[in-house]
């Protein structure tokens, strides 16, 4: 079954804003179970929430592939819980970078702007989280045909180097967004501050797994690109584990889900299928993530505000 909407990107952006905003606001009002911050503390978090939602809207609007997966990543409860802290900004920037690099092939009048925007977004992520440096590998896809390899390398490799440059500035990185390097050492809520009902876990599992089986239309990126991006995500995970292992004793321990979320755009970009035809059509499995996000938008604020 196909469901046609006027503007695929506009649908996902509006759904993200309408369903994510109430959850972000509710979770921003609390910090840890049993603790309620002052009104001033909650008010200070509003600009971060606005930045997260704005960057998320931009990502869903400019993406040409993988919009449903990006929507699921941004509306994941842990992502919305992180929106009131610096981790949400890092995640949204990583998603925006992947969205800017989603066209296949990377051509057209907006190509330079997309590359420049993705480079800036990745550089900011690396500035805040040096372990996310492998995200710079996204700037090298899509891979060019053999006849244009040298030209593409001359164009893309300097951009990747610029995106990696903040990883060489550890002192500036620690002061830039007010976040230490080691995974698990950020500010703000480190986990979802409210218990998530079991049925929401089950619904999200269905919403994420069913589309993998049902949405098999359209071509996948070449195997080389899938291996490249998947390997980059694994490298980022290894760097995060290493940073955590080298962290001083007594510091915040253990990787948090929010530490891994900025790496998720890499496999999304690796396995997002191209669209067949030009009609803006959505198949019903893709709407399962909207259903899961809609139930979150009702359940989580009620739990957070103890209604």
């Amino acid at each position: 079954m196909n469901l046609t909407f006027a503007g695929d990107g506009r649908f996902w952006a509006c759904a993200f804003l309408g369903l994510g905003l109430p959850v972000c606001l509710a979770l921003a009002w609390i910090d840890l179970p049993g603790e309620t911050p002052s009104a001033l503390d909650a008010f200070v978090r509003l600009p971060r929430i606005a930045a997260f939602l704005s960057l998320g809207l931009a990502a869903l609007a400019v993406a040409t592939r993988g919009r449903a997966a990006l929507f699921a990543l941004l509306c994941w409860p842990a992502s919305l819980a992180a929106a009131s802290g610096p981790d949400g900004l890092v995640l949204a920037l990583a998603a925006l970078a992947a969205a800017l690099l989603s066209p296949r092939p990377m051509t057209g009048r907006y190509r330079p702007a997309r590359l420049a925007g993705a480079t800036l977004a990745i550089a900011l992520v690396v500035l805040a989280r040096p372990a996310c440096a492998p995200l710079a590998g996204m700037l090298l896809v899509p891979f060019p045909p053999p006849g244009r390899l040298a030209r593409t390398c001359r164009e893309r490799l300097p951009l990747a180097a610029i995106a990696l440059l903040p990883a060489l500035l550890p002192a500036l990185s620690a002061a830039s967004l007010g976040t230490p390097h080691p995974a698990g050492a950020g500010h703000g809520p480190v986990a979802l501050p409210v218990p998530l009902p079991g049925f929401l876990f089950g619904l999200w599992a269905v919403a994420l797994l069913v589309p993998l089986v049902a949405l098999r239309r359209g071509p996948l990126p070449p195997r080389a690109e899938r291996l490249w991006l998947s390997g980059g995500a694994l490298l980022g995970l290894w760097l995060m584990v290493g940073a955590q292992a080298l962290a001083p004793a007594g510091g915040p321990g253990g990787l948090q889900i929010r530490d891994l979320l900025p790496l998720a755009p890499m496999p999304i970009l690796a396995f997002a299928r191209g669209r067949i035809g030009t009609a803006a059509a959505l198949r019903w499995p893709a709407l399962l993530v909207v259903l899961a996000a809609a139930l979150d938008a009702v359940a989580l604020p009620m739990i957070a505000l103890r209604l």
Side-chain angles (χ1 to χ4, degrees):
M1 179 177 66
N2 288 349
L3 303 175
T4 302
F5 294 89
D8 191 22
R10 183 168 54 191
F11 166 78
W12 288 112
C14 291
F16 169 63
L17 179 61
L19 299 177
L21 180 60
V23 177
C24 289
L25 293 178
L27 296 181
W29 189 257
I30 60 174
D31 192 356
L32 296 174
E35 298 182 8
T36 302
S38 66
L40 179 61
D41 292 334
F43 182 78
V44 169
R45 296 176 179 179
L46 293 181
R48 292 174 174 173
I49 293 175
F52 172 80
L53 293 175
S54 299
L55 291 171
L57 288 172
L60 294 170
V62 303
T64 61
R65 297 180 294 122
R67 281 195 177 107
L70 287 173
F71 174 88
L73 172 63
L74 293 169
C75 276
W76 184 256
S79 303
L80 297 177
S84 57
D87 299 296
L89 184 59
V90 171
L91 169 61
L93 284 169
L96 178 60
L100 288 168
L101 297 171
S102 59
R104 293 192 59 87
M106 180 68 75
T107 58
R109 56 185 292 190
Y110 298 112
R111 177 172 173 270
R114 282 180 174 269
L115 290 173
T119 302
L120 177 60
I122 294 173
L124 291 174
V125 171
V126 175
L127 182 64
R129 298 285 186 274
C132 292
L135 287 174
M138 294 194 299
L139 291 166
L140 303 181
V141 297
F143 290 162
R148 299 186 58 186
L149 180 60
R151 176 183 175 184
T152 302
C153 287
R154 288 195 303 268
E155 179 186 61
R156 302 284 189 90
L157 287 178
L159 297 179
I162 292 173
L164 286 173
L165 184 60
L168 305 178
L169 306 173
L172 177 61
S173 178
S176 60
L177 294 181
T179 54
H181 303 318
H187 291 181
V190 297
L192 193 65
V194 293
L196 197 64
F199 78 91
L200 286 181
F201 277 114
L203 180 58
W204 272 105
V206 171
L208 295 175
L209 295 178
V210 169
L212 294 178
V213 178
L215 297 178
R216 302 183 64 86
R217 297 176 57 190
L220 282 171
R223 179 177 296 179
E225 292 184 19
R226 284 178 273 159
L227 292 174
W228 172 259
L229 293 171
S230 300
L234 291 176
L235 175 60
L237 176 60
W238 180 80
L239 291 174
M240 288 185 179
V241 172
Q244 184 65 41
L246 296 175
L255 282 174
Q256 305 288 336
I257 293 179
R258 54 152 186 150
D259 297 315
L260 308 180
L261 292 177
L263 298 174
M266 296 191 78
I268 289 177
L269 189 61
F271 293 95
R273 294 179 179 270
R275 176 179 294 173
I276 297 177
T278 58
L282 293 173
R283 298 178 65 198
W284 68 265
L287 298 178
L288 289 174
V289 293
V290 180
L291 174 61
L295 291 181
D296 281 346
V298 175
L300 289 180
M302 294 179 64
I303 297 172
L305 301 177
R306 292 163 176 80
L307 295 179

